[in-house]
């Protein structure tokens, strides 16, 4: 046996011993996830096949890792609007949004200026999943909302997408220092493993950018449903040009460079959008 194989075996046994046992129908289930020299290993022993559907819950908790100490969740909804209908869509949203916010809290509503086209992004806050279910049920039965917004909005939208996310434990939802400015929505696709793997390095990179003072952090969200290991970061900037100049200076800052170099070890891909808030958005 190769010496490296012994190291892998020892790591697996250590993980098996340290992890708690899960009981499905009085059978023991051991789960060990080891990262050894770039090798990812999953060991599952003794699970009854009829309980396979329960693994979704187990894997979800392993993938998402730590989050805040409360059940508050955020639904991120993204709509692709027909190119010729964006102006009409925005006007309809601003006209009818009060019908929707009567049911739950809106964090922000934006349209994409750069990085995507004809896209609307809005974020809704819920106390927990039960709260969201109750709101969705109420909206279905709200005749004003259905008649004044849903019916006329459907022909304007080509595609809808939603995610459920939590604020990371070290971040509270922020606000811009004033109205106006632009928002940068940065999406990071991280390597599997969750914040337990990359959280510390990612936080250091975010804090390094904050320390430069050129931008204001609004929120850092980590997905629970949708594509896992996705992190959305919202920044506020005075203007597009101010954002570009600030980023240029940040790239010359040794603290930022060092933190980013450390965090990119866990990065799969990254995408940026420059967003403009709607006049009716709470975050302006």
């Amino acid at each position: 046996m190769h010496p490296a194989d012994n190291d892998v075996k020892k790591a697996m046994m250590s993980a098996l011993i340290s992890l708690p046992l899960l009981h499905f129908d009085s059978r023991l289930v051991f789960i060990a996830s080891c990262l050894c020299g770039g090798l990812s290993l999953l060991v599952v022993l003794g699970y009854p096949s009829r309980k396979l559907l329960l693994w979704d819950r187990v894997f979800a908790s392993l993938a998402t890792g730590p989050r805040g100490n409360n059940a508050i969740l955020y639904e991120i909804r993204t709509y692709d609007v027909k190119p010729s209908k964006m102006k009409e869509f925005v006007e309809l949203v601003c006209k009818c949004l009060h019908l929707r916010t009567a049911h739950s809290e809106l964090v922000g509503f934006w349209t994409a200026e750069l990085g995507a086209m004809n896209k609307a992004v809005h974020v809704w806050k819920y106390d927990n999943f039960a709260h969201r279910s109750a709101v969705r049920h109420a909206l279905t039965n709200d005749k004003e909302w259905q008649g004044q917004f849903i019916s006329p909005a459907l022909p304007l939208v080509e595609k809808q997408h939603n995610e459920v996310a939590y604020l990371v434990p070290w971040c509270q939802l922020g606000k811009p220092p004033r109205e106006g400015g632009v928002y940068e929505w940065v999406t990071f696709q991280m390597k599997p493993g969750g914040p337990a793997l990359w959280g510390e390095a990612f936080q250091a990179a975010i804090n390094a950018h904050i320390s430069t003072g050129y931008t204001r952090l609004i929120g850092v969200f980590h997905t629970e449903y949708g594509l896992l290991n996705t992190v959305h970061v919202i920044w506020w900037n005075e203007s597009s040009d101010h954002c570009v100049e600030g980023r240029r200076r940040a790239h010359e800052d040794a603290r930022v460079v060092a933190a980013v170099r450390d965090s990119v070890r866990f990065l799969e891909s990254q995408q940026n959008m420059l967003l403009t808030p709607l006049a009716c958005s709470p975050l302006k």
Side-chain angles (χ1 to χ4, degrees):
M1 180 178 289
H2 193 277
D5 294 334
N6 286 325
D7 293 338
V8 172
K9 183 177 179 181
K10 290 178 181 178
M12 290 175 60
M13 293 305 298
S14 176
L16 283 170
I17 293 171
S18 63
L19 287 171
L21 305 183
L22 301 176
H23 295 266
F24 290 158
D25 287 354
S26 300
R27 298 191 185 186
L28 298 181
V29 177
F30 300 83
I31 301 176
S33 182
C34 310
L35 293 174
C36 308
L39 177 63
S40 179
L41 300 172
L42 177 67
V43 179
V44 181
L45 304 176
Y47 65 89
S49 59
R50 66 180 178 277
K51 294 296 185 180
L52 284 175
L53 291 177
L54 294 176
W55 284 114
D56 283 345
R57 299 177 185 175
V58 177
F59 291 145
S61 64
L62 289 173
T64 55
R67 55 178 181 258
N69 294 324
N70 55 55
I72 292 175
L73 59 93
Y74 298 84
E75 183 178 6
I76 301 168
R77 300 178 71 91
T78 305
Y79 294 171
D80 289 343
V81 181
K82 293 180 179 179
S84 62
K85 301 294 185 180
M86 179 58 82
K87 182 175 183 293
E88 185 178 347
F89 175 79
V90 169
E91 290 175 349
L92 182 63
V93 169
C94 289
K95 177 183 176 181
C96 299
L97 191 62
H98 67 284
L99 299 174
R100 176 61 183 83
T101 53
H103 292 275
S104 64
E105 181 181 347
L106 173 66
V107 174
F109 207 123
W110 304 267
T111 56
E113 182 70 21
L114 295 172
M117 297 182 69
N118 305 302
K119 193 178 293 290
V121 182
H122 39 126
V123 180
W124 298 88
K125 180 180 178 181
Y126 296 99
D127 296 337
N128 48 45
F129 283 101
H131 179 210
R132 181 187 179 277
S133 295
V135 168
R136 301 306 302 175
H137 178 75
L139 288 169
T140 301
N141 294 286
D142 187 328
K143 294 182 179 179
E144 282 189 292
W145 173 248
Q146 294 294 325
Q148 295 183 34
F149 180 79
I150 295 298
S151 293
L154 287 177
L156 312 179
V157 177
E158 289 188 326
K159 186 171 62 175
Q160 296 174 298
H161 173 74
N162 74 337
E163 300 168 280
V164 170
Y166 293 94
L167 282 171
V168 295
W170 43 269
C171 176
Q172 293 184 345
L173 194 61
K175 292 184 178 181
R178 60 175 177 80
E179 292 187 1
V182 295
Y183 291 79
E184 187 177 19
W185 184 290
V186 189
T187 299
F188 299 89
Q189 187 58 44
M190 308 302 292
K191 291 183 178 180
L197 175 66
W198 43 257
E200 184 176 343
F202 190 87
Q203 180 181 359
I206 294 293
N207 287 338
H209 279 86
I210 294 174
S211 69
T212 64
Y214 81 91
T215 187
R216 176 70 63 94
L217 180 65
I218 301 300
V220 181
F221 301 88
H222 179 222
T223 56
E224 179 81 3
Y225 287 96
L227 186 59
L228 292 181
N229 299 296
T230 300
V231 182
H232 299 290
V233 182
I234 307 175
W235 301 94
W236 177 88
N237 295 276
E238 292 182 7
S239 67
S240 302
D241 290 326
H242 184 267
C243 176
V244 172
E245 174 60 22
R247 183 180 288 111
R248 183 192 64 78
R249 288 189 281 107
H251 289 171
E252 297 173 353
D253 189 310
R255 297 168 299 172
V256 175
V257 172
V260 169
R261 282 178 177 172
D262 187 45
S263 67
V264 295
R265 296 179 294 131
F266 308 108
L267 181 65
E268 295 281 1
S269 64
Q270 177 180 338
Q271 182 178 3
N272 291 22
M273 291 190 296
L274 194 69
L275 303 179
T276 302
L278 271 60
C280 55
S281 173
L283 285 177
K284 293 185 175 65

